[in-house]
Amino acid sequence: MTWDIVQGIWTQWHKLTHNHLVLTANRRTIQAGKFQENGNTSPGSKPSSGSHVSSNVANEGAKTKFSAGTQSENNYGSMGHGLTVLKSSESGFRAISDASPLGIVVTDVEGHCTYTNAAYRTISGLTLKQALGMNWVRLIHPDDCQRVLGELRDITPGTVSFQTEFRFVRTDGSAVWTRVNIAALNDESDNGAEIHGYVLTIEDISTRKSTEFALRDSEAALFEEKERAQVTLNSIGDAVLVTDLMGNVTYINQVAEEMIGWSDEEAQGRPLSEVFNIIDGTTRQIADDPAQRAITEDRIIELATNCILVRRDGFESLIEDSAAPIHDRDGQVTGAVIVFHDLSQSRAMVSKMTHQARHDFLTGLPNRALLMERLSQALRLAQRHDKQVALLFVDLDDFKHINDSLGHGIGDQLLQTVADRLVTCVRATDTVCRQGGDEFVILLAEIERPEDASRVAEKLQAAFAVPQRIDGQEINLTLSIGISVYPDDGDNIDAVMHNADIAMYHAKESGRNNYRFFRPDMNALTTRPFANAKVPLLPKRG
């Protein structure tokens, strides 16, 4: 039963009730007039014995009484019929009202109950006796009362009806969520200017509210889970990109935004190929769509190696990624997620760490480990191509005195400038290594004759004849150089290294600022220690 129907029925019943009161009043008036016409002051009184009326007057009076009496009887009969109809209408309204699933309450202007139907008593838990005379406001839940009363106070004059929702407190203390419609009862006799009461319909919406609360809790939990996932995805170091089944982008995290050059908002709904532009690093051809493959094949797909991501502005970066299908609760594929990261930085880091492991931290020159690798390779190539290899041990004369007198800071800068000058004196295919301290080693790969090594030694001495200038100070520095040549001075790394060191020691003993080639008799003339890790001997030349 809708609110409009209830209000209409109640308004009609209210009219009938009003007519009932009018008819009852008229009936009493007519009854009183009838008694007076019979000469009685009250029902059952007798006429006075001293009265005298002429026959003409009596006859006229008889006619008048007959006429009046007949009219009164007719009016009285009509009123009786109206009361019968009224009672029948009232009974019909009550029957309809009690059959309604909506609770119906009629109150006076102060809110005290004058009528309730069966549904209201079921909702409130009140009996008819308890409900009649009770102000319905007392049943509003304390947590809702202030709000509802405020809403009632804000109703503007002339408002046809008002609706709100709140909890009714039942007699057993339980609460029932209800939707309440309230309308004023106006009397049409005064053009509705005066309110005589109110009619309320109360609908039990507990089930709907429970569903709403459960849905609200589910939405809150879903939102919390989504926020947690969002924070997690934005905090990881990898880029994440999600597509739907049609290959349109539905989400990208912050790392992906930076790498592809699209914001999440801009990328939403766009085809993956427009946002995620990848090419083969070798062929420069467009690479296969990993998301579409993951969806079609329903498995995890690894991106091809040497794959390059072309950012929105054209910047290219080497990436590594994988794509996996996304399934719903029924196991059906609904999209794909691509996880990728920039290999450029990681490869640069690996390259940097490798470089640091094989180069001197102060001068940037190859260290002893890298020298040994290159020397081993140079000896193999020389043997294969019937060439020679020269190894020059270079020692800075009096460097300790310079370092102690001018300070380690000046000493370090001097070592760096020495390294630069050494590199300028040799070929690009040669290797200049810092052995440690103030000792350097130069590897001359694939020379034709020993004289090639002597020319390099002389070039070095000429270069260092020019004073070094460090922080405004002019420093004169000379070199002592020892040279050994493969295969004449040794047929393995150990021997070549050892003999070059012995030759350098003899150069220093000979007055410094000169170079010496190794001679076999030098081993008998020096006790300079030299130790190297032993390596297998190379095969002798045939």
Side-chain angles (χ1 to χ4, degrees):
M1 180 181 292
T2 66
W3 163 246
D4 292 337
I5 296 174
V6 171
Q7 188 179 19
I9 294 174
W10 176 256
T11 301
Q12 184 63 30
W13 188 75
H14 179 68
K15 291 179 181 178
L16 292 172
T17 302
H18 176 73
N19 293 339
H20 181 192
L21 297 176
V22 173
L23 287 172
T24 301
N26 289 343
R27 182 176 64 177
R28 290 173 180 171
T29 301
I30 291 172
Q31 283 179 337
K34 181 179 179 181
F35 294 145
Q36 290 176 357
E37 288 169 358
N38 289 329
N40 298 326
T41 58
S42 64
S45 61
K46 296 180 180 180
S48 172
S49 59
S51 62
H52 176 74
V53 182
S54 64
S55 59
N56 291 333
V57 174
N59 290 335
E60 291 298 323
K63 292 178 182 179
T64 302
K65 286 192 292 182
F66 177 79
S67 176
T70 302
Q71 184 66 34
S72 298
E73 290 298 330
N74 289 339
N75 289 341
Y76 187 78
S78 176
M79 291 178 192
H81 177 70
L83 289 173
T84 301
V85 173
L86 177 63
K87 289 180 180 180
S88 175
S89 298
E90 181 179 351
S91 298
F93 170 78
R94 291 183 182 277
I96 294 174
S97 174
D98 285 339
S100 169
L102 300 179
I104 301 175
V105 181
V106 181
T107 73
D108 58 20
V109 292
E110 295 179 350
H112 298 98
C113 176
T114 59
Y115 168 80
T116 68
N117 71 342
Y120 172 77
R121 296 192 292 273
T122 300
I123 293 173
S124 65
L126 298 171
T127 64
L128 178 61
K129 183 177 180 181
Q130 290 172 328
L132 293 177
M134 176 183 288
N135 194 314
W136 66 274
V137 175
R138 291 174 53 190
L139 300 179
I140 301 176
H141 194 282
D143 293 342
D144 302 332
C145 189
Q146 186 174 359
R147 171 181 60 83
V148 175
L149 293 179
E151 292 172 347
L152 293 174
R153 284 193 296 268
D154 293 339
I155 297 176
T156 58
T159 301
V160 176
S161 63
F162 167 75
Q163 185 182 97
T164 187
E165 294 180 358
F166 58 85
R167 286 165 289 181
F168 255 96
V169 179
R170 295 169 50 86
T171 53
D172 60 3
S174 61
V176 179
W177 269 102
T178 61
R179 179 170 58 193
V180 178
N181 288 275
I182 306 173
L185 291 175
N186 306 92
D187 194 340
E188 291 184 354
S189 62
D190 57 6
N191 295 322
E194 183 178 355
I195 296 176
H196 296 279
Y198 298 93
V199 59
L200 292 74
T201 61
I202 300 94
E203 178 185 0
D204 187 343
I205 58 172
S206 299
T207 302
R208 177 171 68 81
K209 278 293 183 180
S210 297
T211 303
E212 286 181 4
F213 294 147
L215 181 61
R216 187 183 306 168
D217 292 342
S218 298
E219 289 176 347
L222 182 62
F223 178 80
E224 183 179 353
E225 183 178 352
K226 183 178 179 181
E227 285 295 300
R228 188 184 302 111
Q230 182 97 3
V231 171
T232 302
L233 290 173
N234 284 330
S235 63
I236 64 177
D238 287 343
V240 179
L241 190 153
V242 182
T243 73
D244 59 18
L245 198 59
M246 303 302 295
N248 298 318
V249 176
T250 59
Y251 171 78
I252 59 175
N253 71 346
Q254 292 177 356
V255 177
E257 286 181 337
E258 296 175 2
M259 291 188 64
I260 66 177
W262 292 79
S263 69
D264 181 49
E265 183 178 354
E266 291 174 321
Q268 289 285 336
R270 293 181 180 271
L272 178 63
S273 58
E274 181 180 351
V275 174
F276 188 61
N277 184 14
I278 53 175
I279 61 175
D280 186 283
T282 304
T283 65
R284 306 293 295 179
Q285 298 296 315
I286 297 176
D288 292 338
D289 184 344
Q292 193 58 48
R293 285 189 58 197
I295 292 172
T296 303
E297 300 177 22
D298 194 13
R299 65 182 182 89
I300 297 176
I301 301 296
E302 299 290 340
L303 193 66
T305 58
N306 198 31
C307 190
I308 293 177
L309 171 66
V310 182
R311 200 167 61 190
R312 191 177 184 180
D313 60 3
F315 178 81
E316 297 183 359
S317 56
L318 188 66
I319 64 169
E320 180 180 62
D321 82 342
S322 63
I326 300 174
H327 300 92
D328 60 16
R329 65 177 63 186
D330 298 322
Q332 299 298 314
V333 178
T334 60
V337 56
I338 304 174
V339 180
F340 57 99
H341 58 271
D342 190 350
L343 283 181
S344 304
Q345 295 181 354
S346 60
R347 288 194 178 183
M349 180 61 68
V350 171
S351 177
K352 181 180 179 180
M353 294 178 65
T354 302
H355 182 274
Q356 290 176 344
R358 303 171 71 186
H359 290 77
D360 177 58
F361 74 94
L362 179 62
T363 63
L365 295 176
N367 59 14
R368 180 181 175 84
L370 182 54
L371 172 66
M372 300 301 287
E373 290 181 16
R374 293 185 179 179
L375 178 56
S376 177
Q377 183 181 15
L379 296 184
R380 290 190 179 92
L381 290 174
Q383 184 182 37
R384 183 180 305 164
H385 300 152
D386 197 21
K387 299 288 185 180
Q388 295 182 341
V389 174
L391 204 62
L392 284 67
F393 264 48
V394 180
D395 185 83
L396 307 184
D397 296 331
D398 297 321
F399 176 77
K400 184 177 185 305
H401 173 71
I402 297 172
N403 199 38
D404 292 342
S405 60
L406 298 181
H408 293 285
I410 297 296
D412 287 345
Q413 293 182 56
L414 180 59
L415 289 173
Q416 291 171 341
T417 60
V418 166
D420 293 338
R421 287 198 183 186
L422 293 176
V423 171
T424 60
C425 295
V426 298
R427 300 168 300 178
T429 56
D430 299 327
T431 298
V432 178
C433 159
R434 185 186 178 201
Q435 177 86 342
D438 60 349
E439 293 184 353
F440 295 83
V441 178
I442 298 176
L443 168 63
L444 303 178
E446 295 196 45
I447 61 174
E448 297 294 337
R449 60 190 64 85
E451 287 77 10
D452 294 337
S454 62
R455 282 196 295 270
V456 171
E458 292 168 359
K459 187 176 182 180
L460 292 173
Q461 287 182 323
F464 279 83
V466 179
Q468 310 276 347
R469 184 169 294 276
I470 307 295
D471 283 350
Q473 299 189 59
E474 193 172 275
I475 302 174
N476 291 304
L477 190 64
T478 60
L479 308 177
S480 294
I481 305 171
I483 306 172
S484 66
V485 179
Y486 169 85
D488 298 341
D489 300 327
D491 57 3
N492 59 77
I493 293 175
D494 186 32
V496 173
M497 291 282 289
H498 174 79
N499 293 335
D501 185 44
I502 294 297
M504 184 268 293
Y505 178 77
H506 276 272
K508 293 184 79 71
E509 291 292 319
S510 301
R512 305 187 178 188
N513 191 25
N514 57 47
Y515 67 91
R516 291 285 185 272
F517 278 92
F518 173 76
R519 298 191 316 271
D521 63 325
M522 288 181 177
N523 284 319
L525 300 175
T526 184
T527 58
R528 174 174 170 84
F530 183 78
N532 284 300
K534 300 296 182 181
V535 295
L537 294 177
L538 293 169
K540 294 184 179 290
R541 298 189 184 196

